[in-house]
Amino acid sequence: MKSLIIALALVAAVPFPAHAEHRTPRDLRELAYQNGIRIGSAVDIAALRSEDDYRKVLNREFSHVTAENAMKWESVEPERGVFTWGDADALVDNARRNNQKVRGHTLVWHNQLPAWLTTGVENGTIDAAELRDILRDHVTTQVRRYKGKIRAWDVVNEVVNDDGTMRQSIWLTHLGPGYIADVFRWAHRADPHAKLYINDYNLEWNAPKIETTLSIVKDLQAQGVPIHGVGFQGHLGIQYDYPGDWANVMKRFADLGLEIAVTELDVRMVLPVTPEKLATQADYYRRALTDCLSVKVCREFTVWGFTDRHSWVPGWFDGEGAACLLDENLAPKPAYHALLTVKKA
């Protein structure tokens, strides 16, 4: 009996290893694992190919990736019927090697279209019937190429204006609003297992855009169109209030049976950088992940680039920048550390 008591005492004295869910994660991949979500980044393909430090951080930290530009129409079909898959393939191949899921971005958008297409529509050499055929062929070809390799597609991107009206793109102008249902159906036929999303900016807070997007989704569902998710881009700035109702907006879409994803998050600031601005930025990132995790069907939390070295922000917003989780030297900022503290309730 004495030896049994001693043995039990020795066992009790040996601390059990802390469960992964009860300690601060070492990186974003572990954070994602602990919270049952994918955490991703948009990828600069040139940097992926040529910068070892960029590639190392991307593959260590992220379990989901999105091509920043490599899957957009002008990139994959710069000439009619001539497809250039090299950059998109590089992203998909790298993701496969590093256990990362892929978001396809984007099948239909009003921007970054090839000149042969926009010029042909403008001068009338491509009429509405031919335009529809071109759109169907493009969507089908691209989705079919990556069948089984893309977790989710941004099927239509930014189709609603901030005032709640439909965007007057070449697609709406020449094909009518039915093009949206068409592209979802075509994409689904090409890969029945991919999740198909509508994606937009300012959807976190803009009431007219929210209501119109909800109406689009409900109309598609009433027609039996395969739509599976809504993507909130999440391009925020600390000079504006955090969208405090974001979690409730997510829930409104989730209540329609949709998946939710934060697809393009960044948090810019007016330069120069200060410790106070970095603290506010960190709070915005933390709140965004917290809001995402508060919705059971939020599957993905993706930042639009992880390092200020390759951020799109300075080129689009004069005098603004420093929007990413890591600085130009890939050093983690307060925002990165703030994310590591977030736990699903």
Side-chain angles (χ1 to χ4, degrees):
M1 175 65 73
K2 183 177 179 181
S3 60
L4 176 61
I5 294 173
I6 293 172
L8 290 173
L10 288 172
V11 170
V14 176
F16 288 101
H19 193 281
E21 293 183 0
H22 300 299
R23 64 177 174 82
T24 301
R26 65 178 177 270
D27 55 29
L28 295 178
R29 270 207 193 231
E30 188 167 78
L31 174 70
Y33 176 76
Q34 287 182 4
N35 287 290
I37 195 171
R38 294 274 178 175
I39 295 182
S41 177
V43 178
D44 182 304
I45 297 298
L48 178 68
R49 284 196 169 109
S50 63
E51 298 176 17
D52 291 342
D53 56 350
Y54 177 98
R55 184 168 54 253
K56 180 179 179 180
V57 172
L58 174 74
N59 294 333
R60 180 186 71 223
E61 297 286 337
F62 297 101
S63 57
H64 212 286
V65 290
T66 304
E68 188 168 4
N69 291 299
M71 291 188 180
K72 291 173 181 173
W73 199 321
E74 69 175 5
S75 298
V76 299
E77 195 181 2
E79 299 178 49
R80 185 171 180 177
V82 178
F83 290 88
T84 53
W85 301 113
D87 287 349
D89 284 355
L91 175 86
V92 172
D93 292 345
N94 185 77
R96 176 184 51 79
R97 290 192 299 269
N98 291 280
N99 192 29
Q100 295 162 328
K101 297 294 185 181
V102 181
R103 170 170 289 271
H105 178 80
T106 174
L107 294 174
V108 184
W109 193 26
H110 63 279
N111 274 336
Q112 291 182 250
L113 297 170
W116 64 263
L117 177 60
T118 55
T119 301
V121 172
E122 288 169 4
N123 65 25
T125 58
I126 296 175
D127 64 15
E130 188 174 10
L131 181 63
R132 188 174 187 274
D133 289 344
I134 290 169
L135 180 59
R136 182 192 62 236
D137 292 346
H138 176 85
V139 169
T140 302
T141 300
Q142 187 162 5
V143 176
R144 187 176 289 157
R145 178 176 184 83
Y146 297 110
K147 182 178 180 180
K149 299 178 180 179
I150 300 287
R151 186 193 75 81
W153 280 101
D154 291 328
V155 176
V156 293
N157 191 49
E158 301 175 3
V159 297
V160 181
N161 293 315
D162 280 333
D163 64 1
T165 59
M166 296 298 292
R167 185 179 298 280
Q168 293 298 313
S169 64
I170 65 170
W171 313 115
L172 183 66
T173 301
H174 296 278
L175 302 180
Y179 83 90
I180 295 175
D182 286 338
V183 294
F184 274 95
R185 290 188 177 108
W186 295 331
H188 184 65
R189 287 184 199 134
D191 186 353
H193 298 294
K195 299 298 184 179
L196 306 181
Y197 275 66
I198 185 171
N199 189 55
D200 219 322
Y201 66 91
N202 290 351
L203 198 57
E204 306 82 33
W205 59 269
N206 183 294
K209 180 168 282 197
I210 292 166
E211 297 305 325
T212 298
T213 306
L214 282 165
S215 295
I216 292 171
V217 171
K218 291 175 184 178
D219 183 59
L220 293 173
Q221 291 176 326
Q223 297 177 60
V225 175
I227 179 170
H228 308 120
V230 59
F232 294 83
Q233 292 185 11
H235 295 296
L236 308 180
I238 65 169
Q239 64 270 41
Y240 309 108
D241 291 339
Y242 180 84
D245 201 41
W246 193 356
N248 289 327
V249 177
M250 290 181 184
K251 289 183 177 72
R252 292 185 68 188
F253 284 96
D255 287 345
L256 297 179
L258 298 181
E259 286 187 2
I260 303 299
V262 177
T263 56
E264 304 183 21
L265 183 68
D266 47 33
V267 183
R268 65 188 185 273
M269 64 184 68
V270 177
L271 301 174
V273 176
T274 67
E276 293 76 17
K277 291 177 183 177
L278 290 174
T280 302
Q281 179 186 62
D283 182 59
Y284 279 34
Y285 269 103
R286 178 190 59 78
R287 292 175 70 179
L289 180 56
T290 300
D291 283 344
C292 174
L293 292 176
S294 74
V295 181
K296 185 177 180 180
V297 292
C298 191
R299 306 296 190 197
E300 174 195 337
F301 182 84
T302 287
V303 295
W304 203 242
F306 62 88
T307 169
D308 293 334
R309 184 192 298 176
H310 294 297
S311 172
W312 72 294
V313 169
W316 285 86
F317 298 95
D318 189 38
E320 299 180 42
C324 299
L325 294 171
L326 279 63
D327 67 16
E328 294 88 344
N329 298 314
L330 301 181
K333 293 155 67 174
Y336 174 91
H337 297 293
L339 287 182
L340 296 183
T341 69
V342 177
K343 292 181 175 62
K344 181 180 288 188

